Amino acid sequence: MKKIVYTVFLCLFTILICKSQTPLETVNSIENFSVNGNANLTMDFQTAIVSYQGSIFYAYVDASLNAIIAKQDPSGTITTTIIRSQIEDDPHRSPSIGIDQEGYIHWAGNMHNTEMSYYKSLKPGDISSFNRLDSDTLNGGMFGRSMSYGRFIVSRKGTLMFLSRQRVGIINDGWIGGIQCGHIQVYNTETKQWVERGDLNYSFKANNGQTITGGMSADRKIKAVFWDNSGAGAINFNGYQGYKVRVVFDKNNRMHMAWTVAKNPVYSRVNNDVANAHTHLMYAFSDDEGLSWKKADGSTIQKLPITTATGELVYQEDTATDARRMFNGGYITFTSDNRPVVMAFSSSQDKMMVFERSSLQNSWLDVSNGWANGWPGEALTDDNGWITILQVNRHKRSSDNGSSFRQYEKASNNRSNDGQSIDYQYYYETGQFRNHTIIGNVQTVRTTSFQNSLPGQVQPPVITPGSGNVFSDSVEVQINNVNFGAQIRYTTDGSEPSLTNGILFSNTIKIFKTTTIKAISFIAGKVISRIAIAKIVKELPSVDTQPPTVPSNLKLNTITSTSANIEWLASTDNQGVKGYEVFINGEYFTTTTTNSINLNSLVSYTTYSLQLLAFDSQNNRSTKSATLVIQTDRNKVELPFTTTQPVLDGIKDQSWNGAIYSLSKVNTGTVRNGKDLSVNISYTYDINNLYAYYEVIDDSIEANSTNWWENDGIELYIDATNRKGTTYLSTDYQIVYTFNELNLREASRNAALTGAQFKKVNTAEGYNVELVLPWSIFKITPTSNFEFGLEAMAIDRDSNKWNGKKSFNNNIDNSWSNPSTFGNAILGTLILPPSEVFKFSANRINNSSVSIEFGIENPSEVKEFILERGISEQLFQSIGNIIPFKNITYTYVDNTADQEFYFYRIKVVYKNGNSKYTKVIKITNSNVNTLSKVLPTVTKSSIQIIIPSSITNAKCDIYNEIGKHCLSMKLSALSNLVDISRFSAGIYFIAITDSDNKRTIHRVIKL
């Protein structure tokens, strides 16, 4: 009896345990192929496996220290190519590979504080030949003469990036003496060049006492995304951080980054060990692929590089204990609802520390004890919410955000340590886990499938022919889906295809000139595919090696506070100049095809150095031109028109789309530094209001004086008529907010501020003030290019006394009495919504006529009305147009409407160049005697067209549902069999026209 009770209890306990864990699933693991490699040159920071159009590429180093790429094509054939020989026998030199959107293969290796090696394949998907580029950035090489822990990654859009820890000092600074920074560079498929993220604004001391600023010298200028000059605080370790930065993209293409910083001077100095001296686990994310960075709560990290002082600290260990702390790498994965999970191994606690971002508490939660202890290796979350961890000789899987895991041993009987190189994109696009395993010198590429892993991202389409293919006269391009049921959109104008941009692919594209085709695949409910790109080149009749002449006579035409117009004497070339590349402050800015350019979004009162070079169609490039130095105007502020009123909440939303202006003049008193007082201002306007947004940094905010002008606050001065008088009149205003006041005040004349509003919000570094000022206060009716006087100031009070003021334009603190000191403001183009068509109707008059009636409120805005008639809701043609007069209602009679049904719409073309369609109206004719017949109406292969014997010289035209003409043929009397089996599935319209030019339309569904 006791045995039976014990058995029942054990079963119940087992059932309860199983219910609380991730469900068991089937798993299947296969070995793709194996190579004999050097087991010492495989580390967890590199990306050594990528997949492309059914082929697998694996980068490794063999026993003879040759760097090799192995390729297994879709048929299973394996080929190898030696990229470089004599790789140093050091695990830090492990190679990494990536594939860009065109399919070119990129390889980097033999790095670690030495001169880097970088190669790119000459053809997409082909490992037979490579071009060595190294750090030759002008010709497509990478930034950085020496780097460590480099790895290629790919965004969910397909953008290729390279992460590394960069040396930014000079060679004799010592091995790691304060000279490393976190670095990200991005490959541009248009220019075939790498572009850096980050900033050059950093400064710290090396071991030899040198101050390294912005990369030290012209050939070592490396932009840093993050760094920390305090480091571990001990010589040789005072800048050692970002050892193995992790960057992962979630399904919304948000870029998440985690890294560790070594700040344990006692342990690193005593034990000469920095790898285990890391104490700070940091996090940041980017919504624009690394251009700008934010904390987990969405607040912007205002200044790069990110440091432990300015960035987000997820977890910190003791910085002053002689003991091992965290190891030198972090990991990122996601919960099922896309919240980040950051991990780092704590040597002091002998466990993996795991922190999950809570959306409810807006904080990081320590969930370490819910995850099994141990070193997990890389962790990934698929788009269906399953977390997969590769740990030693097994996989661990969770479907409940890490609350429980199931362990799955590998299919192979051999047990080994798994390499940490994982093909991320293959996992997202197939649901299969592809990595490599190591047993001695044998390295095996392995693919593991789990029952519950489903692909969350559509695979990119295949463009044929691909990049690099050359044609002479014309070529037909095919774009194929890899995923069943996916649709394709493509562009040929350089823009990125999306769900709303580009052409829906339905048939072969024929091109006659060099064309770059960009395409995506999409399926409802899944993440859109990466962008596939193919640049297909038209062969030139002869080889041209002569570069164009150097652009000359650079001249500044006009300049404002945020824009400038530049022109120059055009270059000449034996085959014709194709365009000009524009460089600002030594860096590539843009390309133009004319000999003038408008530079927008410049910063006011800033000096810019411009140079140009000319290039021809063979990419022969001239040398750079002489330098033109310009300085933007500072006393004119440009206010852009906004179609969306800013929300008055003290938070800067998307309505603030104009330039940012800084208060840089100390016009009275003393301001110690930027933390003491610095102010940025943004402006915008609409038909009703002027809006201003002050972002104030002030390290000590005080409002204890009885005189308002001695308390911290902001001022805005308006000269409504821009008369620039020396005394105040009724058209001049001094609008003031001083800290902790409940209302705005007009300080010069105590004028009424009817309708004015403001919102003040305190920040970690100061405060923000958002103003809404109705134009009616100033008796201004806003119009495009309207100018008025404008000045802005900020007041600073510290230590119970007034300290000073900063202003935008005036060098003296007398704007409160002298409006002539104001600067100028100009309103940008005012945009009014166009008038809408109303009372649009269509009515049948008789068997052959339809009357169309409509109206519009303001006909003066309209250039013309184009009336269109269709045989479907997609297939339309113009039947007439009306030029608007003063009247607001119009009538048009269609006297050729003799078919069974028609669709009508109106295209309204406005004088400003915009256009808009009305709704579609369907008109039927029940009296039409349709003599012809089309059978069947639903078919897979063919249709039969039947016409009366009395009809002669009839013909048939077939159109698809978007109006593309598919077939034209003459019809015989009585029965005609038409084969449409080669047509794609969809709706088709059969238009039958007789000898009297009368047309009958039939609708057929092709399965």
Side-chain angles (χ1 to χ4, degrees), residues 97 103 179 214 250 298 528 690 717 806 829 838 859 877 955 994:
I97 59 172
I179 51 176
D250 67 22
I528 299 172
L690 163 67
Y717 297 85
K806 297 184 79 172
T829 302
F838 65 90
Q877 64 180 9
K955 69 173 184 175
D994 63 16

Side-chain angles (χ1 to χ4, degrees), residues 914-926:
N914 295 330
S915 62
K916 191 172 185 180
Y917 281 102
T918 64
K919 64 181 180 180
V920 175
I921 296 177
K922 182 179 181 181
I923 295 295
T924 60
N925 186 359
S926 59

